[in-house]
Amino acid sequence: MRTYELIKDKDDLEAGVKYSRRASRKDEAFAGQKQGQRLVSLDVFRGLTVALMIFVDDAGALFPSINHSPWDGVALADFVMPFFLFIVGVALAITHKGVTNKAVATRKSVFRALKLFVVGLLIQGGFFHGLHNLTYGVDLLRMRWMGVLQRIAIAYLLAAICEIWLKTDDNVDNGYSLIKRYRLQLLMALILTTIYMLLLHGLYVPDWEYQIAVGGSMSKSLSVRCGVRGDTGPACNAVGMIDRQIFGIQHLHRRPVYERSKQCSINSPDSGPPPPDAPSWCRAPFDPEGLLSSVMATVTCLIGLQFGHVIIHFKVHKDRVIQWMVPSFCLLALAFSLDLFGMHMNKPLYTVSYTCVTAGAAGMLFTAVYLLVDVYGYRRPMLAMEWLGMHALVVYLLIGCNILPVLIQGFYWREPQNNLV
């Protein structure tokens, strides 16, 4: 009888172990990442952003409604840059979670940002003259200092410094303790937003002028009358004024987005000839990746950083999703509220409402990708996006910056016009 009880107890124990293993595997769908397991949704989200960039670049000419908004409002293309900045912040939280030597980590971050800035300067500074001009080299007096990669480098550096130096050692077990641990970073985001708002609405913008080529070596001067504060129109905003004062107007982007506005193009929102009564500022240079607007771009990166902290401190999928969805909805609600009260969404100025709507959309899309790929395991349909995300910089340089088409066009038969393209 005792032998039977021992065998029965042993069978019950083995059955319990098997049941426990089955239950453990079943619950893995809603448990956190295994130790050392790569978060695939990061690469997939980055890949989707690269694919979106390629799509709007190629289809924007055919469908102007998805191209960058000429001024106020947002279009599909206006989400690309903030999505990149958001994912940079998420990745920063993961790569800097185990920093032991803050000085060394800071030095490495400065070096990485400097490399990215230099690459951006080479690509977007004017060295490569484009698809229809197979030459290279740039006049240093007209070199463009800012650009997409330069903006990412600035935002990355500031966010990395915040992540290295501005956090406490408080334990995190809920949303409140998460905010408490990283309250200094949130305070920095608030300070940057306040500085941006004070400069945008407080600086006095005087009258200014610029020159345009009228044929050969001749040029014509055009005057723009301002004398205002707090203007958020294309001509008299503080974002453009700061760039003109610091960089010089000759170093700004010479194809402003507002040249497709109704005031400047008869084919708006597409490019076209200006109407007879077009204002004088329609052909004035304006940098969409300017200095003051990069302040709010850094805020987008800091928001992404907070989403990355959720990955570090919450190991259960359900907790992560909740911690992401709540701030995403709050950001979207704040964005539409600000827009309703006159603080319009504007990508060239990178306004606060634009920051909120793009960060909220990025948070929701990232959560959806996370559920699809890392929770429910639909990785195979996203392999192409994952590959794009793992090689995002190379793809951006080759396709987004037109290096690959320029290289292909370099092969021609007798005349440059008889090229492969």
Side-chain angles (χ1 to χ4, degrees):
M1 183 68 179
R2 183 170 179 79
T3 303
Y4 169 77
E5 289 177 352
L6 288 173
I7 295 175
K8 183 176 182 298
D9 291 341
K10 181 181 180 182
D11 290 341
D12 290 343
L13 179 61
E14 290 178 351
V17 170
K18 291 179 180 179
Y19 176 80
S20 177
R21 289 174 179 172
R22 287 196 302 269
S24 177
R25 287 194 296 267
K26 184 177 180 181
D27 291 340
E28 272 185 4
F30 294 96
Q33 255 46 44
K34 293 180 180 179
Q35 190 70 23
Q37 183 177 346
R38 185 180 181 89
L39 199 67
V40 182
S41 51
L42 281 172
D43 293 324
V44 173
F45 183 81
R46 192 184 295 110
L48 286 171
T49 305
V50 172
L52 177 62
M53 175 197 69
I54 297 172
F55 172 72
V56 296
D57 283 350
D58 293 338
L62 299 176
F63 306 100
S65 59
I66 69 172
N67 204 348
H68 292 290
S69 175
W71 198 247
D72 287 337
V74 290
L76 187 61
D78 296 319
F79 288 90
V80 175
M81 166 63 80
F83 281 9
F84 276 125
L85 293 167
F86 178 89
I87 207 66
V88 166
V90 175
L92 261 175
I94 298 175
T95 56
H96 286 74
K97 65 179 180 179
V99 171
T100 55
N101 191 319
K102 295 183 178 181
V104 172
T106 302
R107 186 166 62 250
K108 289 181 178 179
S109 298
V110 171
F111 186 61
R112 290 193 191 103
L114 185 61
K115 288 193 296 183
L116 192 60
F117 193 94
V118 171
V119 171
L121 201 60
L122 292 173
I123 297 301
Q124 294 189 301
F127 291 94
F128 297 95
H129 292 170
L131 294 175
H132 306 295
N133 191 350
L134 295 179
T135 59
Y136 68 94
V138 65
D139 181 358
L140 293 177
L141 295 178
R142 297 173 61 85
M143 185 177 185
R144 184 187 175 201
W145 292 107
M146 297 298 288
V148 172
L149 294 182
Q150 294 94 309
R151 167 170 283 180
I152 293 176
I154 293 172
Y156 163 83
L157 179 59
L158 294 177
I161 291 174
C162 289
E163 177 64 9
I164 294 169
W165 296 96
L166 299 183
K167 60 183 178 183
T168 66
D169 296 327
D170 297 340
N171 293 325
V172 174
D173 51 16
N174 54 48
Y176 174 75
S177 58
L178 183 71
I179 294 174
K180 185 178 179 181
R181 180 182 174 94
Y182 298 102
R183 59 186 180 274
L184 294 178
Q185 296 180 10
L186 297 174
L187 178 62
M188 178 58 66
L190 180 60
I191 291 173
L192 291 176
T193 302
T194 303
I195 292 173
Y196 170 85
M197 293 289 289
L198 290 175
L199 294 177
L200 178 66
H201 295 285
L203 285 180
Y204 176 79
V205 181
D207 298 343
W208 55 282
E209 63 179 27
Y210 67 101
Q211 294 183 335
I212 59 172
V214 293
S217 59
M218 301 294 292
S219 61
K220 176 184 177 182
S221 294
L222 296 176
S223 298
V224 181
R225 296 194 174 277
C226 292
V228 295
R229 297 180 191 272
D231 190 281
T232 56
C236 301
N237 59 80
V239 172
M241 185 201 70
I242 290 176
D243 290 336
R244 291 192 297 269
Q245 294 292 330
I246 294 179
F247 299 121
I249 195 169
Q250 69 275 16
H251 294 289
L252 305 184
H253 189 44
R254 288 184 284 277
R255 293 295 303 273
V257 68
Y258 51 67
E259 72 175 7
R260 296 189 289 106
S261 63
K262 292 181 179 179
Q263 299 100 313
C264 302
S265 173
I266 61 175
N267 298 329
S268 181
D270 198 3
S271 299
D277 58 345
S280 58
W281 47 262
C282 281
R283 299 174 65 181
F286 181 89
D287 209 309
E289 283 82 38
L291 198 59
L292 181 57
S293 55
S294 293
V295 171
M296 292 307 298
T298 302
V299 174
T300 297
C301 200
L302 288 173
I303 293 173
L305 187 63
Q306 307 315 310
F307 276 69
H309 292 152
V310 173
I311 299 173
I312 302 301
H313 296 288
F314 295 89
K315 301 305 180 182
V316 178
H317 291 314
K318 181 180 178 181
D319 293 339
R320 290 176 176 179
V321 170
I322 293 174
Q323 295 297 327
W324 287 335
M325 291 301 290
V326 171
S328 296
F329 276 115
C330 291
L331 286 168
L332 290 175
L334 179 59
F336 287 107
S337 299
L338 292 173
D339 189 74
L340 183 64
F341 286 101
M343 298 179 63
H344 298 301
M345 303 174 193
N346 186 295
K347 192 262 182 188
L349 300 181
Y350 218 113
T351 56
V352 177
S353 56
Y354 172 76
T355 303
C356 292
V357 75
T358 52
M364 295 191 69
L365 179 59
F366 178 65
T367 304
V369 172
Y370 176 80
L371 285 170
L372 184 66
V373 176
D374 286 309
V375 177
Y376 295 109
Y378 292 103
R379 183 175 179 180
R380 184 170 295 179
M382 293 293 179
L383 284 178
M385 296 299 103
E386 183 181 348
W387 184 89
L388 278 177
M390 295 176 69
H391 304 86
L393 181 58
V394 175
V395 174
Y396 171 75
L397 294 177
L398 291 178
I399 300 178
C401 296
N402 290 324
I403 292 182
L404 182 60
V406 168
L407 292 176
I408 294 175
Q409 280 185 285
F411 295 90
Y412 58 86
W413 178 258
R414 294 183 178 177
E415 298 292 335
Q417 293 77 13
N418 301 325
N419 57 67
L420 295 176
V421 174

